[in-house]
Amino acid sequence: AQSVSQHNHHVILSEAASLELGCNYSYGGTVNLFWYVQYPGQHLQLLLKYFSGDPLVKGIKGFEAEFIKSKFSFNLRKPSVQWSDTAEYFCAVNGGKLIFGQGTELSVKP
Amino acid sequence: DAGITQSPRYKITETGRQVTLMCHQTWSHSYMFWYRQDLGHGLRLIYYSAAADITDKGEVPDGYVVSRSKTENFPLTLESATRSQTSVYFCASTGLAGANEQYFGPGTRLTVT
């Protein structure tokens, strides 16, 4: 069965710190990969997506993610976080149905 | 350009009552989805629809009913609400099931007392 695992439930960083959020999935076939963000009180918005090609994908607001097929991973990164990045981040994998990870809450201290 | 809307945004109901959450999209997307969001579980798929009059169960369908008589609407009904159905419900839509990202509505916060 398809599943998605996000390693960190809650991450606390200071502004300007670097961010890496882990995401691993289990699925044997071809997948499309997504990172969504949910700012406090708002709906989910797409940060970035990977379908094929260059495994390093760039999204909005300076985020990027790297697909490592051999590790079944799709980690999200940002070199320098801002207070406005405080949100919940969801990794999602679509191998037929879109399955979400449990989410990682990011708190950025000013 | 409204996109995808949900109503009501907030709802309090009593155990045993029937309640319907509405979802409307203006993009003519084929696929529509209902998720519930709970702490520690992320988003879980309740039901989805590939087109008008075509619906299918997701991960957690028990206690819910959906219909899709028109492409733009996808109501979710809790036939007899239970406290365990207290959650935030998100509707989403997409033109293609797998290839494209899903677009989410603002959510409905439902409390069952």
Side-chain angles (χ1 to χ4, degrees), chain B residues 5-14 16-24 34 63-69 73-81 85 89 91 107-112:
Chain B
T5 57
Q6 293 183 235
S7 62
R9 294 294 312 279
Y10 302 90
K11 177 74 177 177
I12 300 174
T13 191
E14 295 177 342
R17 290 192 177 267
Q18 182 181 82
V19 60
T20 296
L21 310 183
M22 304 301 294
C23 178
H24 176 80
W34 274 107
Y64 303 96
V65 174
V66 294
S67 62
R68 186 114 181 259
S69 58
N73 296 325
F74 191 38
L76 175 74
T77 298
L78 287 67
E79 293 187 298
S80 178
Q85 292 177 309
Y89 291 85
C91 179
T108 295
R109 184 174 293 275
L110 175 68
T111 302
V112 183

Side-chain angles (χ1 to χ4, degrees), chain B residues 43-55:
Chain B
L43 278 82
R44 292 181 291 175
L45 182 65
I46 305 171
Y47 268 95
Y48 67 100
S49 169
D53 297 321
I54 301 175
T55 62

Side-chain angles (χ1 to χ4, degrees), chain A residues 32 36 38 43 49 51 90 94, chain B residues 37 90 97-99 101-102 105:
Chain A
N32 297 324
Y36 284 85
Q38 185 179 28
H43 61 283
K49 60 186 177 185
F51 293 163
F90 292 93
N94 196 326
Chain B
Q37 183 180 25
F90 287 98
E101 67 267 27
Q102 294 181 13

